[in-house]
């Protein structure tokens, strides 16, 4: 496969006839993921960093089909929770290649990691608090560990993802050398890890590289020749807005290498969003068009339960009219059926005028889209269909009301099986 594929895929680049057919066959709202595009994005990224160890940050999209695709493409997997470790292994990942970045890990997560490490000594556990290492030791774990560093520099598309300056993430920069000396007595200290933020584009690249340079200097201070790797995380963004330009990954690769400088340890990178974001869209049907003095309000069957990023991060997602892209464009507000004013995908957005029963596509839904899907208003989560090699298949069936209520009924609730209309 060539890595010369376009560096960004806009909504208009999708095959609208194919999307219409998928919506007709599988219903809406519907996630559609192009696995070929996911593999292309990974290859483009890896080609920009030929000397780095590139791992996929699973938290962006843990769908089994996505994980299998990336494992087949040669990626290793970085996990931020016990469930992600389990899903990576179920998708075929070798546990000895996994990296677990523990953030305030619950006991059950650490129990699982310690047990996994006992059987698979290649597992690496990254800790961002002294407590995490003490709790690992108490579980008898003495294997591979890395220190998550807080570089004091945050970047990204929203303050809620600028992890590099958030005290929640990592050991304070100045405390790392002392901690490193301590951990070398108790574990196999193999690396340093840092993550400045998420959604980094051109305007954030300078700060991102400053954080990288700072962590690289710290690695040299603690002895990079004694470390297997220095992990600079991911965070590389994709253009969500139509007027944003994609990153030139060859230029990014040069800037990152310049920021790192001479380093004996191997560089690790963990792209997540960059790999999956533009590989997926959400299809949703228009059910209501309401003219008001303030706006033309377009109601659709997707909601913040389908895609919460606009409500959570004020995120922009491009929207296209699949049914009638040739219609005259006019500003509209698009929102879902949830009883909250947060359930809005856009306001005053130019879209080919939607009419009832039109099919709309919400773009760049691959990163943290299905991952954050929920059952608010007792809405079953949507199906997900994969496109690969010209073929399509369901990789997640649509939930039913039976799925939504099963855990209550199986708990011995006195309602028993009396739930009506659960299918």
């Amino acid at each position: 496969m060539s890595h010369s594929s376009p560096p960004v895929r806009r909504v208009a680049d999708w095959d609208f006839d194919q999307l219409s057919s998928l919506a007709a066959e599988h219903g809406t709202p519907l996630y559609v993921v192009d696995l070929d595009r996911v593999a292309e994005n990974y290859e483009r990224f890896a080609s920009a960093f030929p000397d780095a160890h590139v791992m996929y940050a699973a938290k962006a999209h843990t769908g089994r089909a996505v994980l299998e695709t990336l494992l087949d493409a040669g990626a290793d997997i970085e996990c931020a929770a016990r469930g992600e470790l389990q899903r990576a292994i179920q998708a075929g990942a070798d546990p000895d290649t996994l990296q677990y970045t523990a953030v305030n890990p619950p006991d059950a997560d650490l129990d699982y990691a310690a047990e996994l490490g006992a059987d698979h000594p290649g597992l690496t556990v990254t800790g961002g608090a002294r407590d995490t290492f003490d709790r690992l030791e108490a579980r008898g774990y003495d294997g591979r560990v890395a220190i998550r560093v807080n570089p004091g520099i945050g970047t990204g598309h929203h303050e809620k993802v600028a992890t590099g300056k958030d005290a929640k993430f990592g050991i304070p920069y100045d405390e790392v050398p002392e901690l490193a000396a301590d951990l070398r007595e108790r574990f196999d200290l193999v690396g340093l890890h840092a993550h400045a933020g998420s959604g980094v584009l051109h305007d954030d690249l300078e700060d991102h590289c400053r954080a990288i340079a700072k962590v690289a200097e710290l690695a040299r201070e603690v002895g990079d020749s004694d470390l297997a790797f220095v992990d600079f995380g991911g965070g590389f963004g994709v253009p969500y807005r139509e007027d944003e330009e994609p990153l030139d990954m060859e230029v990014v690769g040069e800037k990152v290498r310049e920021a790192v400088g001479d380093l004996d340890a191997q560089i690790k990178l963990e792209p997540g969003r960059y790999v999956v974001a533009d590989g997926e869209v959400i299809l949703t049907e228009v059910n209501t068009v309401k003219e008001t003095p303030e706006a033309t309000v377009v109601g659709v069957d997707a909601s913040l339960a389908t895609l919460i990023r606009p409500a959570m991060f004020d995120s922009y997602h491009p929207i296209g009219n699949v049914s009638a892209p040739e219609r005259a464009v006019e500003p509209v507000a698009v929102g879902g059926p949830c009883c909250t004013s947060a359930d809005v995908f856009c306001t005053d957005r130019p879209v080919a005028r939607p009419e009832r029963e039109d099919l709309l596509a919400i773009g760049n839904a691959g990163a943290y889209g299905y991952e954050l899907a929920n059952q608010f208003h007792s809405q079953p989560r949507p199906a997900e269909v994969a496109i690969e090699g010209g073929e399509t298949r369901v990789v997640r069936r649509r939930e039913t009301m039976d799925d939504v209520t099963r855990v209550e009924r199986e708990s011995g609730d006195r309602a028993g099986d009396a739930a009506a209309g659960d299918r």
Side-chain angles (χ1 to χ4, degrees):
M1 181 184 299
S2 170
H3 61 267
S4 61
S5 60
V8 61
R9 189 181 202 181
R10 311 288 186 182
V11 169
D13 296 329
W14 288 77
D15 183 335
F16 279 12
D17 289 338
Q18 183 180 44
L19 294 182
S20 295
S21 296
L22 290 173
E25 180 178 358
H26 301 287
T28 57
L30 180 70
Y31 273 85
V32 179
V33 59
D34 186 337
L35 298 176
D36 295 326
R37 178 64 184 177
V38 169
E40 290 168 2
N41 288 341
Y42 170 78
E43 183 176 300
R44 188 186 319 105
F45 187 97
S47 295
F49 298 96
D51 298 323
H53 180 187
V54 179
M55 309 187 78
Y56 167 63
K59 63 181 177 292
H61 193 310
T62 56
R64 182 161 183 167
V66 167
L67 294 178
E68 289 174 342
T69 295
L70 290 168
L71 287 167
D72 287 346
D76 285 329
I77 309 294
E78 183 269 340
C79 304
R82 169 190 175 179
E84 292 175 13
L85 288 169
Q86 291 176 303
R87 295 185 76 165
I89 293 168
Q90 289 168 1
D94 178 351
D96 281 299
T97 66
L98 294 175
Q99 186 165 312
Y100 168 42
T101 306
V103 181
N104 299 335
D107 284 345
D109 286 37
L110 279 191
D111 290 344
Y112 180 79
E115 292 170 6
L116 189 64
D119 294 328
H120 300 280
L123 174 74
T124 302
V125 179
T126 302
R130 291 174 184 268
D131 271 0
T132 300
F133 297 111
D134 292 342
R135 293 165 65 206
L136 275 171
E137 186 178 39
R139 287 163 169 76
Y141 182 88
D142 60 0
R144 291 166 55 96
V145 297
I147 300 172
R148 181 162 184 171
V149 181
N150 186 316
I153 300 171
T155 59
H157 68 89
H158 192 281
E159 63 180 10
K160 292 182 180 178
V161 300
T163 54
K165 62 179 180 181
D166 187 337
K168 175 179 177 178
F169 298 97
I171 303 293
Y173 187 89
D174 293 338
E175 296 179 15
V176 171
E178 178 186 351
L179 178 61
D182 174 48
L183 295 184
R184 283 182 168 127
E185 299 295 322
R186 303 157 59 192
F187 303 95
D188 180 13
L189 178 63
V190 294
L192 299 184
H193 174 285
H195 180 72
S198 184
V200 172
L201 286 174
H202 302 281
D203 292 343
D204 303 305
L205 196 54
E206 183 177 341
D207 283 342
H208 191 72
C209 286
R210 280 200 304 117
I212 286 173
K214 193 173 179 181
V215 175
E217 182 58 36
L218 181 62
R220 286 185 281 270
E221 181 181 346
V222 302
D224 58 309
S225 61
D226 295 325
L227 298 174
F229 66 83
V230 181
D231 187 336
F232 297 105
F236 301 99
V238 297
Y240 283 72
R241 296 178 181 272
E242 290 84 352
D243 60 353
E244 291 177 329
E245 291 298 318
L247 291 170
D248 183 330
M249 290 312 299
E250 291 187 3
V251 172
V252 171
E254 292 172 2
K255 287 184 177 294
V256 168
R257 284 188 288 273
E258 181 181 340
V260 171
D262 293 331
L263 202 63
D264 285 340
Q266 184 178 44
I267 295 173
K268 273 192 181 184
L269 295 167
E270 302 170 0
R273 182 189 311 276
Y274 183 88
V275 174
V276 294
D278 74 353
E280 190 152 29
V281 294
I282 297 168
L283 302 180
T284 182
E285 183 175 289
V286 175
N287 54 51
T288 305
V289 178
K290 179 170 62 175
E291 304 286 351
T292 76
E294 296 81 16
T296 298
V297 178
V298 176
V300 296
D301 58 4
S303 71
L304 62 76
T306 316
L307 179 71
I308 202 172
R309 294 189 73 252
M312 180 179 258
F313 299 121
D314 195 28
S315 299
Y316 181 102
H317 281 265
I319 298 176
N321 190 330
V322 174
S323 298
E326 75 287 346
R327 270 196 214 127
V329 170
E330 65 176 69
V332 297
V334 178
C338 292
C339 190
T340 168
S341 56
D343 186 23
V344 176
F345 295 113
C346 69
T347 58
D348 198 29
R349 176 81 62 82
V351 176
R353 178 179 171 81
E355 296 179 0
R356 196 188 317 158
E357 297 185 357
D358 277 355
L359 182 68
L360 305 185
I362 303 174
N364 277 11
Y368 310 100
Y370 210 110
E371 285 302 301
L372 294 172
N374 59 82
Q375 296 173 336
F376 182 50
H377 272 338
S378 294
Q379 296 182 82
R381 281 173 289 207
E384 184 177 33
V385 172
I387 302 170
E388 185 175 24
E391 302 294 324
T392 64
R393 69 182 192 276
V394 176
V395 292
R396 272 191 259 224
R397 67 168 175 80
R398 186 176 304 281
E399 286 184 340
T400 65
M401 276 304 297
D402 187 57
D403 295 315
V404 174
T405 61
R406 177 177 291 116
V407 291
E408 297 173 71
R409 290 182 290 108
E410 290 179 351
S411 71
D413 187 280
R414 65 181 179 181
D417 293 322
D422 60 3
R423 289 177 177 78

